[in-house]
Amino acid sequence: MNEHIYSIPFCNNCDISIGCSFNPGKGRGSRNSVMYITSHQTASDYKRGMGNGRNSKLIKEYNDSYNLEAYYTSLVKCISRGIPTEFEINNCIDYLKNEILEVAPKIIVTIGDTVTSKFIDYTYFKYVVDKAHIIELNGIQTIIYPIYSVSYKNENLRNLYDKSFRNIAKMYVALINTNHFSFKLYTEP
């Protein structure tokens, strides 16, 4: 893996960045891969690197079991005290857009409702989860694939992730082999 690290040298856009004793968090992983976006970084994500912290460890475990090239990042770049506010998200969204341009992912996996809502419009998350959506992002057609958050309270989370990661792996392999694939686009009921 040719590791790519996206970093922000300094930020004072909002209360969490001003109170943060660290530089804003870094995304890390492979370019032209599957990009996983969580809502925010925890202290363990920040200290151990994205993909190794408490919230992103399960995602990384599943990704590694399918041997996919991956890039891990977050919507809010500083260590957040829970679900990020709209103010915090809006202050970080341009950093994420630049990061997406720099990393050029094949597939963007949005983890949870908070992240997914920044990429696609929908009424209920349950209707868009585990379905591929094509959006235009920075002038490039991009595949968005929403999955449930690690904090989703469901005893079947591992079964849900089994299905999600099988689908992600199929899409990724198809894109690598043919540079395109066909699938049904989601339309909300």
Side-chain angles (χ1 to χ4, degrees), residues 39 90 114 171:
S39 61
N90 290 337
T114 301
M171 285 188 292

Side-chain angles (χ1 to χ4, degrees), residues 4-35:
H4 180 78
I5 298 175
Y6 178 84
S7 59
I8 303 161
F10 177 76
C11 177
N12 63 358
N13 288 343
C14 63
D15 61 329
I16 60 172
S17 63
I18 292 168
C20 187
S21 59
F22 308 105
N23 286 338
K26 302 172 185 163
R28 64 180 341 125
S30 299
R31 295 190 71 215
N32 302 308
S33 61
V34 178
M35 176 184 267

Side-chain angles (χ1 to χ4, degrees), residues 49-144:
M50 285 301 294
N52 297 306
R54 180 173 39 98
N55 282 352
S56 55
K57 196 172 187 175
L58 184 62
I59 301 295
K60 186 175 187 310
E61 178 185 311
Y62 268 93
N63 183 81
D64 291 352
S65 73
Y66 283 93
N67 201 28
L68 302 174
E69 292 286 318
Y71 184 90
Y72 303 91
T73 193
S74 59
L75 184 59
V76 172
K77 303 301 181 186
C78 286
I79 298 168
S80 183
R81 298 176 205 96
I83 297 172
T85 66
E86 281 300 311
F87 181 72
E88 293 164 347
I89 292 167
N90 290 337
N91 284 328
C92 288
I93 199 74
D94 287 337
Y95 293 131
L96 181 61
K97 288 177 183 177
N98 290 335
E99 188 174 14
I100 290 168
L101 275 173
E102 196 173 299
V103 173
K106 298 271 184 204
I107 300 169
I108 297 174
V109 178
T110 55
I111 302 168
D113 187 30
T114 301
V115 179
T116 304
S117 68
K118 299 303 165 201
F119 291 91
I120 56 177
D121 292 325
Y122 54 89
T123 307
Y124 298 106
F125 184 67
K126 68 181 180 180
Y127 293 135
V128 297
V129 72
D130 280 329
K131 293 175 179 67
H133 308 263
I134 295 180
I135 66 163
E136 191 164 308
L137 191 63
N138 301 318
I140 300 167
Q141 283 197 331
T142 305
I143 298 167
I144 302 293

Side-chain angles (χ1 to χ4, degrees), residues 22 41-49 53-54 79-80:
F22 308 105
Q41 294 192 20
T42 62
S44 59
D45 285 318
Y46 191 91
K47 290 174 188 168
R48 295 183 188 110
R54 180 173 39 98
I79 298 168
S80 183

